[in-house]
Amino acid sequence: MTFGQRIELGKIFSSSDDELLKFENVFVCLHGYKPKLTEYHKLTTYFSEVAEGIAHWVNAETIMLKYEPTPEQKQAGIKALSKSIGEMGTVDALAEKYGIDPDVVLSWEYAKVFGILFADLEKAKYQKRYNKIIDKKK
C-alpha cells in the first residue's frame, strides 16, 4: 500500500457511504478496477483483510505518532491549519525534506512513510528534552 492509497483508504473507511460503495471503492483504490457483482462473494475475505489492515495502521498511528501541540501552537491555530490542509501537510513536509515532488511521496510505501514520521517525532521529542536540560544549565 502506498502513502497515497493509505490516505484514500482512510477517507473511504471513514466516509458515511454504504458498505457496498466502500467495498467497490477499496478495489478501485488498490487495484484500479470495480469488481463485478459476481466477484463480490469471493472478494469479501480480502476486503475484510484490507479493513483490518487499515484498522491496524490507524491504531499504530494513534499510539506511535501521537503529538500534543504546545500551547503556543494551539494559540496560533495548529488545529485549524491541520483541518484545512490535512494530509497534504505531511506530504508537503516530506517532499520538501527530501527535495522531491509531492507526487513521489504519495507513491512511497506507507510503511516507509510511517517509519520516517515515527523517527522524526522521536527525534523532535529528544531535541525538546535536550533543550530543556541545556536551558536549565544556563
Side-chain angles (χ1 to χ4, degrees), residues 59-132:
N59 186 50
E61 292 162 3
T62 301
I63 294 167
M64 298 175 69
L65 300 181
K66 183 177 181 178
Y67 173 75
E68 183 61 36
T70 65
E72 294 82 9
Q73 289 171 322
K74 289 178 183 177
Q75 184 179 3
I78 194 166
K79 287 185 182 181
L81 174 64
S82 179
K83 185 176 180 180
S84 67
I85 64 172
E87 298 89 356
M88 284 310 294
T90 302
V91 173
D92 184 56
L94 289 172
E96 187 175 325
K97 178 178 179 177
Y98 292 99
I100 57 175
D101 187 274
D103 287 339
V104 174
V105 173
L106 290 169
S107 71
W108 285 355
E109 289 295 316
Y110 180 65
K112 172 182 180 173
V113 173
F114 182 89
I116 292 169
L117 296 176
F118 179 74
D120 285 351
L121 179 59
E122 291 300 307
K123 288 188 271 185
K125 289 177 185 176
Y126 164 79
Q127 192 63 49
K128 187 175 181 179
R129 292 189 306 268
Y130 178 78
N131 289 343
K132 281 183 180 181

Side-chain angles (χ1 to χ4, degrees), residues 20-31:
L20 183 61
L21 188 54
K22 288 180 183 182
F23 183 88
E24 293 171 350
N25 287 339
V26 163
F27 286 92
V28 171
C29 172
L30 293 175
H31 304 291

Side-chain angles (χ1 to χ4, degrees), residues 34-74:
K34 180 180 170 183
K36 296 174 186 160
L37 191 57
T38 57
E39 298 175 303
Y40 284 19
H41 181 68
K42 70 179 181 181
L43 295 174
T44 56
T45 301
Y46 177 76
F47 176 80
S48 295
E49 291 172 358
V50 171
E52 290 170 12
I54 289 299
H56 162 78
W57 281 114
V58 168
N59 186 50
E61 292 162 3
T62 301
I63 294 167
M64 298 175 69
L65 300 181
K66 183 177 181 178
Y67 173 75
E68 183 61 36
T70 65
E72 294 82 9
Q73 289 171 322
K74 289 178 183 177

